[in-house]
Amino acid sequence: MTKDILISMFGEEIAENVFPDGRVQSDNYKRFLETYSNIILKNIGNKGYTTKQEVIKQLHLPIGERKKEYHFEKVINEKCNLYCL
């Protein structure tokens, strides 16, 4: 579990206790989290589910597929925990 995920799930105070290094949630992670969340929730709202391939295909950011997959794996765990999926 990364510090970014801990910050999102439990807040900065707990994340700082686990990783006492002064890092804050990166702007990149916040952008990926928001973008992926919007795509995932829209797809689930429309048809009741989504797939990794659909989400990555709908992500229109100028980065490679591997990086999209990497960030998806970080974000999907957080979204599943947050929404009890």
Side-chain angles (χ1 to χ4, degrees):
M1 188 171 282
T2 67
K3 189 168 185 179
D4 283 330
I5 292 173
L6 286 176
I7 291 170
S8 294
M9 293 176 70
F10 304 110
E12 289 194 28
E13 186 176 334
I14 291 175
E16 189 61 29
N17 287 335
V18 176
F19 295 102
D21 56 12
R23 287 181 292 160
V24 296
Q25 196 172 51
S26 68
D27 290 335
N28 277 345
Y29 184 76
K30 288 178 188 177
R31 187 177 71 235
F32 279 110
L33 180 63
E34 183 178 330
T35 304
Y36 275 118
S37 295
N38 291 339
I39 294 169
I40 291 167
L41 294 175
K42 179 182 165 200
N43 288 350
I44 291 173
N46 287 339
K47 60 184 184 177
Y49 70 95
T50 192
T51 66
K52 177 180 178 179
Q53 290 76 23
E54 287 175 333
V55 174
I56 290 172
K57 185 177 178 182
Q58 293 172 359
L59 183 68
H60 301 294
L61 293 176
I63 58 172
E65 288 294 308
R66 292 183 84 138
K67 194 142 189 134
K68 288 180 182 181
E69 289 178 9
Y70 170 77
H71 285 288
F72 176 86
E73 296 299 334
K74 288 175 63 177
V75 171
I76 194 65
N77 183 44
E78 183 177 334
K79 291 290 108 188
C80 288
N81 288 333
L82 181 65
Y83 293 104
C84 299
L85 301 173

